[in-house]
Amino acid sequence: MIRSLGAALLLAGLGLATWSVWLQLDRPVRSVRVEGALSAAERAAIRDVVSGSLEQGVLSLDLAGLERRLRALSWPRSVTVRRLWPDGLVIGVEKESVVAAWGAGGYLNSAGKVVQLADRISGVPTLATALSPPRRAMEVYQMLESRVDAAGLSVVRLEENALGEWLMTLDGGATVALGNESISVRLDRVLAAYRRVLAERMDQVAHVDARYDNGIAVGWKETGTDYALR
């Protein structure tokens, strides 16, 4: 009986000692260090999420839950959160690499995932579709861009209308109508004409229409007329 009571008192004492140590270590978070190549607006967005998650001390804070809330911003590709003793947090963030602008203020990564960024960025093409989902738009863009890039051109805009027809705008301002089917074959005809005839006159081209069974039609900026090439 006495031994049992002594053991119980010893366990209670150990529990109180452990609890006392926990309380001393579980201090309020006083500092948060954010690591990563982030803009001022992105760092502010990170801190806004973190500031709403510091009700508990540094030991009792749910790090996994905080990581989930940070990833919910959509633009971080990876997030790590670790404690920095005695009362700090270190948050590492790696951003998604966006490929194109999409919709009202959104962007797409290379997999066609929609990403909302804290900042506006320039220098990326714009994709807009009436029917296709973002992933399909990215697939079409990547196919077209890889082909025109080999010819020394670049796609600055790609759009799909309500009929499912694709219209590509090149860096010089010329538009290329590819229709809604066999767009790879039609692009081949455009690139063949570019290498054969148009390369030296591309600054004069207003639009190219490849929606024909054979050949293409070229519209010139100055004359406003179309010229058929086969």
Side-chain angles (χ1 to χ4, degrees):
M1 178 71 176
I2 295 176
R3 287 184 178 180
S4 298
L5 180 59
L9 290 173
L10 178 61
L11 290 174
L14 289 174
L16 286 173
T18 301
W19 180 246
S20 177
V21 171
W22 175 274
L23 289 178
Q24 292 180 42
L25 294 177
D26 195 28
R27 303 179 181 184
V29 176
R30 300 297 186 191
S31 67
V32 177
R33 189 171 78 212
V34 180
E35 298 178 339
L38 307 178
S39 68
E42 290 162 345
R43 289 179 180 276
I46 293 291
R47 292 184 182 277
D48 284 345
V49 173
V50 174
S51 65
S53 306
L54 301 182
E55 304 87 359
Q56 299 172 307
V58 68
L59 268 183
S60 52
L61 182 65
D62 179 9
L63 299 188
L66 179 55
E67 286 184 3
R68 286 194 298 270
R69 288 189 287 276
L70 290 170
R71 285 195 296 270
L73 291 171
S74 87
W75 51 264
R77 182 170 63 184
S78 66
V79 176
T80 59
V81 181
R82 60 183 176 87
R83 297 178 178 90
L84 181 66
W85 301 112
D87 55 7
L89 292 176
V90 178
I91 300 173
V93 181
E94 185 177 351
K95 292 192 297 184
E96 287 278 10
S97 179
V98 299
V99 176
W102 173 263
Y107 297 87
L108 296 181
N109 66 10
S110 60
K113 173 189 173 184
V114 178
V115 177
Q116 299 293 334
L117 299 183
D119 295 297
R120 297 290 298 172
I121 62 172
S122 59
V124 295
T126 299
L127 275 56
T129 62
L131 302 176
S132 297
R135 183 173 179 178
R136 170 59 178 164
M138 180 55 61
E139 290 173 350
V140 174
Y141 166 75
Q142 289 173 331
M143 182 274 290
L144 297 175
E145 174 63 18
S146 65
R147 306 274 291 283
V148 302
D149 180 69
L153 300 169
S154 181
V155 179
V156 297
R157 183 175 178 84
L158 178 65
E159 52 192 306
E160 178 199 38
N161 64 20
L163 299 176
E165 296 179 330
W166 295 92
L167 181 71
M168 173 176 66
T169 303
L170 299 174
D171 50 352
T175 60
V176 181
L178 295 167
N180 58 7
E181 59 183 16
S182 303
I183 59 176
S184 179
V185 174
R186 291 171 176 174
L187 180 61
D188 282 341
R189 292 203 299 266
V190 174
L191 293 177
Y194 172 78
R195 296 186 181 96
R196 189 175 73 249
V197 178
L198 301 178
E200 301 301 322
R201 305 178 61 190
M202 203 60 194
D203 60 333
Q204 303 172 41
V205 175
H207 64 265
V208 178
D209 192 342
R211 295 173 298 174
Y212 298 94
D213 293 335
N214 295 292
I216 62 174
V218 179
W220 304 98
K221 291 179 180 178
E222 290 185 3
T223 64
T225 59
D226 288 355
Y227 179 74
L229 294 175
R230 296 182 182 276

